Amino acid sequence: MILPDPQTILAELATCTTEDQLKDFFSTYLGKKGSVNGLFKQLKDLSPEEKKTKGQEIKALFDSVNNAFMSQQDEIKRAYRDQKLSEEIVDISTPSNPLPLGHANLQNQLRRTVEQIFQGMWFHIEYGHDLVDTFENFSSVNIPPTHPATEMHDTLYVNGESKEWQKLMMRTHTSAHQNELIRKYGPACKIMIPGKVYRNENLDASHDVAFWQVEWVVIDKWLSIGHLKGMMEQILQGILETDQVELRLRPAYFPFVEPGFEIDAKAQVWGKDKRLEILGAGMIHPSVLEQAGVDPNEYSGFAFGLGMTRLVAIRYGLSDIRLLTNGDLRFAKSF
Ligand code: PHE
């Protein structure tokens, strides 16, 4: 058996300058049916000694052709890439066609600002979910089945056949998550729950079927109404970007707090004194704490819920909250 001269093969390899030529070279010599690769098959007819020496020679030949092939292949690929790169230089100083950029809805902008303030104060931020059951929305926060809020004309229930489905509803307030989250984090805990809530309202400039609320729940030992008021002041100062916020607490009834308040804030907005009715608040009712597994003799807590959509309207001077959601670009672009 006479082996071919490696020099001739390598000389041929050197003439390959494209990937196609390389492919042909590979199948002629190195592939399954290639002549160099084929030499291995001829070994079977040789004596054992010859097999050994010839085998080594064939292997050396195969390796040298194969190595040369690999580096030639790298070389061609590199040359190809370099050429492409030089052809495709991108001139980054060319002016682009500016795409019109949108921005977050005003409600989301304010929500993010508020979230940042409270993340800085180590609050857990939780969004809950829009679809809840009647236990979460009502019973867990002390609202009896006879309460007017549970009626069809206020609440959007799921229309379904089964008993399970009939318990589902769109949350009417973010307080629906108090029970679950107090169980998850407390006691002592600080939680903020921004979320959309749904009520079957007659639509007008200040009422929509869906709007944003933010709820805060704080549980610890020795909490008092003083803490609640102080924190509320801070929140409103942060949101309205003024330190001139005056609060007035009016007694109000919410079944899940005792005592409960509605809070009016007087603040300078747009250079004018404004009175805002935007918050419901109170000390969490002992039975709500108990239902969430917290001992009311040891811990107390306060909660407040802020109508964020209304606050956005006040902050940006909107005459109608439906502007925020009706998709009118003229409105969106004016901010
Ligand atoms: N959940 C009440 C509402 O939607 C607001 C509220 C929250 C009141 C927390 C008291 C405490 O009207």
Side-chain angles (χ1 to χ4, degrees):
M1 185 206 290
I2 299 166
L3 298 189
D5 175 14
Q7 290 315 319
T8 341
I9 302 180
L10 294 180
E12 191 182 328
L13 178 63
T15 65
C16 297
T17 51
T18 66
E19 294 208 50
D20 282 346
Q21 287 168 344
L22 267 187
K23 256 192 209 150
D24 287 345
F25 176 89
F26 184 85
S27 43
T28 311
Y29 296 103
L30 299 170
K32 261 202 190 131
K33 296 192 179 139
S35 59
V36 176
N37 202 352
L39 294 170
F40 287 113
K41 284 185 207 140
Q42 297 172 23
L43 285 174
K44 65 177 181 335
D45 305 327
L46 304 179
S47 69
E49 292 88 72
E50 269 184 321
K51 233 183 220 167
K52 196 171 170 204
T53 50
K54 277 288 167 200
Q56 280 169 350
E57 279 173 40
I58 296 172
K59 171 131 190 355
L61 174 68
F62 182 89
D63 285 349
S64 77
V65 176
N66 194 39
N67 289 341
F69 170 81
M70 303 277 255
S71 51
Q72 180 84 342
Q73 190 180 38
D74 285 349
E75 197 51 47
I76 287 177
K77 279 195 176 148
R78 183 173 319 123
Y80 177 77
R81 198 187 53 214
D82 287 351
Q83 193 196 347
K84 267 260 176 253
L85 282 177
S86 68
E87 280 168 6
E88 291 178 3
I89 283 181
V90 177
D91 180 359
I92 56 169
S93 65
T94 314
S96 65
N97 292 331
L99 287 172
L101 271 189
H103 58 74
N105 185 289
L106 296 180
Q107 302 186 83
N108 276 320
Q109 287 183 24
L110 188 64
R111 175 177 59 76
R112 286 180 196 164
T113 310
V114 179
E115 282 177 8
Q116 265 166 12
I117 300 175
F118 282 87
Q119 252 159 355
M121 295 197 243
W122 299 94
F123 272 69
H124 296 286
I125 300 191
E126 288 270 0
Y127 300 102
H129 23 85
D130 301 36
L131 195 62
V132 294
D133 62 30
T134 47
F135 171 78
E136 293 173 285
N137 201 85
F138 297 130
S139 326
S140 79
V141 281
N142 233 10
I143 301 178
T146 51
H147 193 279
T150 63
E151 286 187 20
M152 293 293 269
H153 55 247
D154 282 327
T155 300
L156 299 163
Y157 289 94
V158 167
N159 194 357
E161 300 281 302
S162 73
K163 276 241 151 33
E164 296 306 310
W165 276 78
Q166 280 161 13
K167 275 194 233 152
L168 294 180
M169 52 174 287
M170 304 303 287
R171 63 180 169 203
T172 62
H173 57 175
T174 39
S175 307
H177 301 295
Q178 283 192 12
N179 181 279
E180 168 197 357
L181 294 175
I182 294 173
R183 278 179 190 285
K184 179 168 169 191
Y185 292 115
C189 59
K190 298 192 282 189
I191 310 162
M192 170 181 164
I193 318 159
K196 247 190 209 170
V197 299
Y198 303 82
R199 293 181 192 175
N200 192 9
E201 302 263 16
N202 290 326
L203 306 187
D204 65 28
S206 52
H207 293 90
D208 205 343
V209 282
F211 58 96
W212 278 88
Q213 276 193 340
V214 187
E215 178 112 357
W216 287 268
V217 174
V218 180
I219 294 183
D220 209 334
K221 291 181 176 170
W222 313 113
L223 285 182
S224 73
I225 295 170
H227 295 110
L228 179 150
K229 191 167 177 232
M231 213 174 105
M232 200 110 52
E233 249 159 16
Q234 277 212 325
I235 292 172
L236 291 174
Q237 285 170 0
I239 296 176
L240 298 169
E241 292 172 7
T242 164
D243 49 11
Q244 310 276 309
V245 179
E246 233 178 79
L247 292 186
R248 191 173 67 181
L249 275 61
R250 280 185 290 118
Y253 174 65
F254 300 99
F256 38 94
V257 286
E258 178 59 40
F261 309 100
E262 270 186 62
I263 294 175
D264 304 333
K266 203 165 100 182
Q268 280 262 327
V269 187
W270 303 101
K272 288 194 205 119
D273 263 347
K274 286 239 176 191
R275 233 176 219 300
L276 329 168
E277 289 172 34
I278 39 172
L279 281 157
M283 303 305 291
I284 299 177
H285 197 288
S287 64
V288 172
L289 288 177
E290 223 158 24
Q291 276 217 79
V294 176
D295 179 359
N297 297 317
E298 200 179 345
Y299 288 95
S300 52
F302 58 79
F304 40 96
L306 170 90
M308 207 176 50
T309 302
R310 198 164 286 173
L311 196 65
V312 169
I314 291 162
R315 183 175 158 170
Y316 293 99
L318 311 182
S319 55
D320 191 327
I321 58 166
R322 289 168 295 182
L323 285 167
L324 289 165
T325 45
N326 71 1
D328 187 338
L329 282 182
R330 287 168 307 177
F331 171 76
K333 281 182 180 161
S334 62
F335 290 95

